Amino acid sequence: MSETAHADAHEHHDHRPTGWKRWVYSTNHKDIGTMYLALAMIGAIVGTAASMAIRVELHEPGVQFITDFQFYNVLVTAHGFIMVFFVVMPALIGGFGNWFIPLMIGTPDMAFPRMNNISFWLLPAALILLVIAGLIDGGPGTGWTVYPPLANADFHPGMAVDFGILSLHLAGASSILGAINFITTIVNMRAPGMTFHRMPLFIWAMLLTAILLLLAIPVLAGALTMLLTDRNFDTAFFSPAGGGDPLLWQHLFWFFGHPEVYIMIIPAFGVISEIVSTFSKKPIFGYLGMAYAMAAIGVVGFIVWAHHMYTVGFNVETRAYFTLATMVIAVPTGVKIFSWLATMWGGSIKFDTPMLFAMGFIFLFVVGGVTGVTLANAGADQAFHDTYFVVAHFHYVLSVAAIFAMYAGFYYWIGKMSGKQYPEGMARLQFWVTFIGVNILFFPQHFAGMAGMPRRIPDYPDAYAGWNMISSWGAYITAVGAILFFVVLWKTLTSKETVAANQWGTGANTLEWTVASPAPFHTHEQTPAIGTQPAAIGTQPAE
Amino acid sequence: MQNSRRIILGYNSGVAFLITAFAAFMASGANAAEPIPWQMNFQPAATPVMEKIIDFHNLLLTIQVGIVVLVLGLMLYIIIKFNSKSNPEPSKTTHNTPLEVIWTVIPIVILIVLAVPSMKLLFFMDKAPNPEMTLKITGHQWYWSYQYPDNGDFEFDSNIIPDDEIKPGQRRLLEVDNQVVLPVNTEIRLLMTSEDVIHNWAIPAFGVKMDTVPGRTNESWIKVTKPGTYYGQCSELCGVNHGFMPVAVKVVSKDEFKKWAAEAKKEFAKAKNTPVKVVKMKSPAQAQLR
């Protein structure tokens, strides 16, 4: 590792800040990535606490401990916002993206390091605003969809919803800045020889995610601003009394909201592709198909938004169009699933924890994906809309699958990030506890939903008690899994056992495995050499 | 009851037999139109629309179970066959164009097979062909009001019966003070709107779920084939008491309906000018936000 020695030699000439300044003033992609991951963990604790409160309340019929139903709605809202904007996005995009885009494309840092700093620091500010929103004036009991008229000043007087809007504005600005940085970096700063068709799939995923963010977030910002002026300056964009239309909000929100779900899952696709290839000791199967499947999902993701709105009273032709367009997404998604299976096929697979989580991801994503095809049909959706079946569906694909990708990425890269070995046995235990927990948690919700249980209710008819009790027990098991994760994290960071530069061996051939572990403060100060095969770039480090 | 058993047992013949048998066992002896403990399936259909939804879902579920089993099977095979012990030398295959074409084309074929019945169902459920009467539904925070323009144009409110007034045998969170009464085997047009925020009028057994949007009138329809009482709940988050504005519909014979309508016209004409009854739920926040 001549490069490591090289970096060490430069260490003395670095004028980098230390102590708190190292983090607050940071322009280093690795430090910023670490801060994103830390913020995601804080967000995860808050968001999980909200969901646990919900599951405890729903453990039995009747009121358990939430006597204020507005507070219940605030918990539902906070859980949604925090998990989307302050857990999944910062971990998969801000965390892994910042850490590994420069490392994988062979460049010293992001294109705009100072913008990277502000793009991170807007996010804690946004989280604080969101927490304030939840604590004042009864909180925003609107759900994360913030549908007016419920979100209007008439039905949510006080400043709670305004604080929520400002929070999303800041989080959105953060995402837009990050997206610009990612796109510029990936388009302009790849090492010589790394053409678009030779980029690792993780880089493809981050590029496509950044493009989706850049196109979708401004629409949300526009809608939020309209809602803000409706609430405070007597405009009537969404108020029928003033000539506006509540459905305009739903169109704008879901024009952002549907790409948003792909913004959360495409980075997960990237992480899983890297891990499946590494542990199968095979290059990814159908590389171009995989890359363009993600691109196709991103493009089609912009023309299917109204499938979230089948029951608003569209004419039948509109619903027919959105049904057919939505079903199309199943094709590129199928290509991805089958390509992962084909990558494993014929491989020499080691089932370390990252691979366990990756295989868990594939299976759970298929389960959530097939129920997605059910919900895509406007006709069938009339029975499923706004029931727990929908809750089960999107938790399988987002909560479970996205979180499995986060766990997988963590175990895959923690050696590179910290230089320490995670405890394998305990990590596998964490996988199994989590895998069993989430299935007990979410699978029975399909049944409750088919029996007719609506979403977002603090109490339910007694007939739904059975499956809700099982679901709550699943939640407690999943929470044990999350606690185990933090134990693993602690054990890893305090471990004396270090890892080699390439801890995964011959399968791991992207550029981040050519630098030392932990990755030095500055990496790729010399431009790395790039091979010719898409998934076999970089020099093979000695075993 | 006979009919409901048939529908449940007809569900996904063969594919998930155990689940079906379990659900049928659980469903036996229950009333037709409410959720029952440990239910895993739809409530039995009471309208042609819901019957078609269940039929279509049986097709969907069969294909889905097939896909999940296929993927799970492939993964188990991979785990057994291609782990580093049984297969120390990884293959170098990264492309197989015919295979890639197949796994693109087969999903497209499956989607086309699904799209045809999906479109049929969608266009069938859209509008009543020949509606014989109209029911107007208005959502409020947090109760429903109903109007019968073709049967004397009377209207009334329908409030939840709160937990502390519930009588033994009544269904908690589903019972209302004034049930909607409708005639059996009659095509009924439903017109819906809202007075404040967006609500959603839904009855699972009818296959009806439609937002009530302020400033808009939405249309749906039902033709209930079996007399009985049917329950549903508001299905769009509408504020503090979203979970406490149920829908209860009593379906009676056409003669009984005529009698009821004549009486209801007199009764609700008197009540028209009395103030709206506010139901007190346990939430202290309700008063502030109302």
Side-chain angles (χ1 to χ4, degrees), chain A residues 271-272 275 353-354 357-358 403-413:
Chain A
V271 173
I272 298 304
I275 292 172
T353 313
F357 273 107
I403 297 232
F404 268 49
M406 285 154 57
Y407 281 142
F410 171 83
Y411 288 115
Y412 185 51
W413 282 316

Side-chain angles (χ1 to χ4, degrees), chain A residues 344-373:
Chain A
M344 291 188 257
W345 198 272
S348 177
I349 307 173
K350 273 182 71 192
F351 293 99
D352 290 321
T353 313
M355 189 60 181
L356 289 180
F357 273 107
M359 294 195 76
F361 170 94
I362 294 170
F363 176 68
L364 296 166
F365 193 77
V366 169
V367 174
V370 292
T371 55
V373 176

Side-chain angles (χ1 to χ4, degrees), chain A residues 416-493:
Chain A
K416 184 56 61 189
M417 294 190 284
S418 70
K420 308 280 178 60
Q421 172 66 46
Y422 65 85
E424 183 67 46
M426 192 182 270
R428 288 188 191 190
L429 178 69
Q430 194 246 332
F431 167 78
W432 285 110
V433 170
T434 309
F435 185 80
I436 292 165
V438 292
N439 281 298
I440 297 175
L441 167 53
F442 292 117
F443 207 81
Q445 295 185 357
H446 291 116
F447 306 140
M450 284 189 79
M453 181 176 168
R455 294 169 66 180
R456 294 167 164 173
I457 52 174
D459 189 7
Y460 45 82
D462 302 345
Y464 301 125
W467 293 126
N468 272 287
M469 182 195 64
I470 304 256
S471 185
S472 286
W473 279 110
Y476 311 146
I477 296 171
T478 310
V480 170
I483 292 166
L484 256 178
F485 171 77
F486 282 101
V487 176
V488 169
L489 177 67
W490 176 254
K491 289 223 164 213
T492 309
L493 297 181

